[in-house]
Amino acid sequence: MYHSIRDRMAEEQRYLVNHAMEYMDQLFDEEEGMLRDAEQLDRHNTRGSGHYAVGLLLRNEPGDWERAAVVLNKVIDMQLNDADEIYFGTFRASPQASPPPKGKVPWQTLGAGSAYRYGEDVLPPVWRSYDPNWREFVACTFAVILENFESVLPAGLVARMDNSMVMAVTGSIDRRLTEAVPMNSNIELMHIFIAHYFGQRFENKDWLEHAKQESYKFHAAFMEFGSLAEFNTTTYYGVDITVLGLWRCYAKSDELKRIGHDVEKGLWESIALFYNPALQNLSGPFARAYEMEMLAHSSMGVFLYLLHGKGFEHLAAINCESEHDPIIALVGIDIPEYVKPSLTVPQGERLAVQKFRELCERDLPGENSNLCTAKAWIDKDVMLGGMSGSKNTNGQMHPATIHWITQEGEKYYLRLLRREVGGHWNTHARGIIFEVDVKRKQLSVEVYLDTAAPVEIYFEISGGPLEAQLLTQELWSLPGLSLAVDSQAPLASIHSNEELVEVIYTYQPGETPNRMSFMLTMID
């Protein structure tokens, strides 16, 4: 049976499985029974180990099923099972991760956003002492395994998986109902799926009803503008499309499949609006992103490889998301036919505009969903992106972006970031608001600042070789792109290393104006 699953796959799907398994086999630690973390080889990876088990069961070579059973038992060993704690049912990210501290109050009575509203002396610090999202990731993985491979697993392991899922889904639903830790779009989709799938498996009518009502709310929110709160982000779109594939393949009701189809179709429409086949990237702006390059921290390239086929294997190059590829191979893609030309053939110069409602994780419900507008000017070899309306405190928001490619084929990226002096951009910070507009060949940026600490507003430029001495206060002469810069801001300092250049404008509270503006205009 299990060879038949692989045998029924298209060549591209089999390539994904084999390619990902070659990578994960190298990370497997026989003694620990888990995958090593690719970025920290002295640690192991709980979520990735679960994905590896899917690939082992799908590949079905001698010893694979036995290894998968060892791995799954190790993953279950990582589950946190104290029912009174806010982290009940989630999983330690690694056996090397310390167990989170015990809470000191009944967390379910504290109200929405309590994970952020109360200090470490009240609740275990979310994201630093535990990751609530591992509930949803591992539960989706277990659903795939039970759906496809339950009959070859030891009965005792299946019983452990079922017991684990009772805790995981219970904790996930408690999280959702209390809003103690808000869910971003990709986690919402996983949450609905696991409540539905395991509600059906365990004949739990309350879970099934919860999943149905949550799916209605998600669908209504999506259909308002055809957009997600995690807007235009390759990292999270990769997860979204994967999970919508789970809805499509494994949902137990036609209604959930219909809703999933609507969202999947609309998401591909939005992707096509901001995608440039010549640059093989989404344009930005990004509601949440780690990297500017689509292939660096995302499964998006994998889906486009499944669309394009042989000759586009580079789109499925190994990155930190490649452990998902066996699941992606199982669910495949469902891209509307009318969307495919926009993903394969450059559409010429255009201005793309779409609205979305963001999620500000650390604001209270009713105050955490602002109406934003994303704009992008897209030409064959350059893309400008800008966002207005956001009040997000998350440093992963990239409100102004430029992507371009030189005649020699080298790709470059520019993004607008912020950080406290001496800090890092990927943090939450209040008192910094960006308003960005995009026109043909032009980005205009307004920055409003109300912070107690000094802040650096800076443009990061990365890609191929860069020479910092070619950037002045008024002209940035970059490979393949020259920008005239009109700024109302403190004088910039320009820093560079082997990988990037930063043009930094420093805000000193009480000393410099609390507003900056920039106009970046392409010079032909």
Side-chain angles (χ1 to χ4, degrees), residues 176 179 188 212-222:
R176 184 61 173 170
E179 298 242 21
E188 271 195 83
K212 183 168 73 171
Q213 295 305 320
E214 289 294 313
S215 71
Y216 290 163
K217 289 192 292 185
F218 190 98
H219 184 241
F222 178 84

Side-chain angles (χ1 to χ4, degrees), residues 16 181 220 234 250 257 322 368 379 390 398 445 522:
L16 287 184
V181 186
T234 59
Y250 306 131
K257 289 187 176 186
S322 296
N368 64 353
D379 204 357
S390 174
H398 292 13
V445 179
M522 293 173 52

Side-chain angles (χ1 to χ4, degrees), residues 56-68:
L56 288 166
L57 292 164
L58 183 57
R59 184 173 63 184
N60 186 21
E61 292 180 355
D64 279 350
W65 289 355
E66 293 80 3
R67 178 177 286 188

Side-chain angles (χ1 to χ4, degrees), residues 327-387:
I327 295 178
I328 295 173
L330 278 167
V331 300
I333 55 172
D334 185 20
I335 303 174
E337 287 298 323
Y338 61 86
V339 170
K340 291 180 180 178
S342 298
L343 300 172
T344 54
V345 181
Q347 300 300 297
E349 182 181 333
R350 69 185 189 274
L351 184 69
V353 181
Q354 190 166 18
K355 294 183 182 297
F356 69 97
R357 294 193 186 276
E358 68 182 359
L359 172 66
C360 296
E361 292 175 277
R362 303 201 175 194
D363 290 338
L364 293 174
E367 304 170 10
N368 64 353
S369 181
N370 305 297
L371 179 60
C372 305
T373 301
K375 290 185 180 180
W377 177 72
I378 302 172
D379 204 357
K380 180 179 180 181
D381 56 4
V382 63
M383 307 186 290
L384 280 62
M387 184 190 306

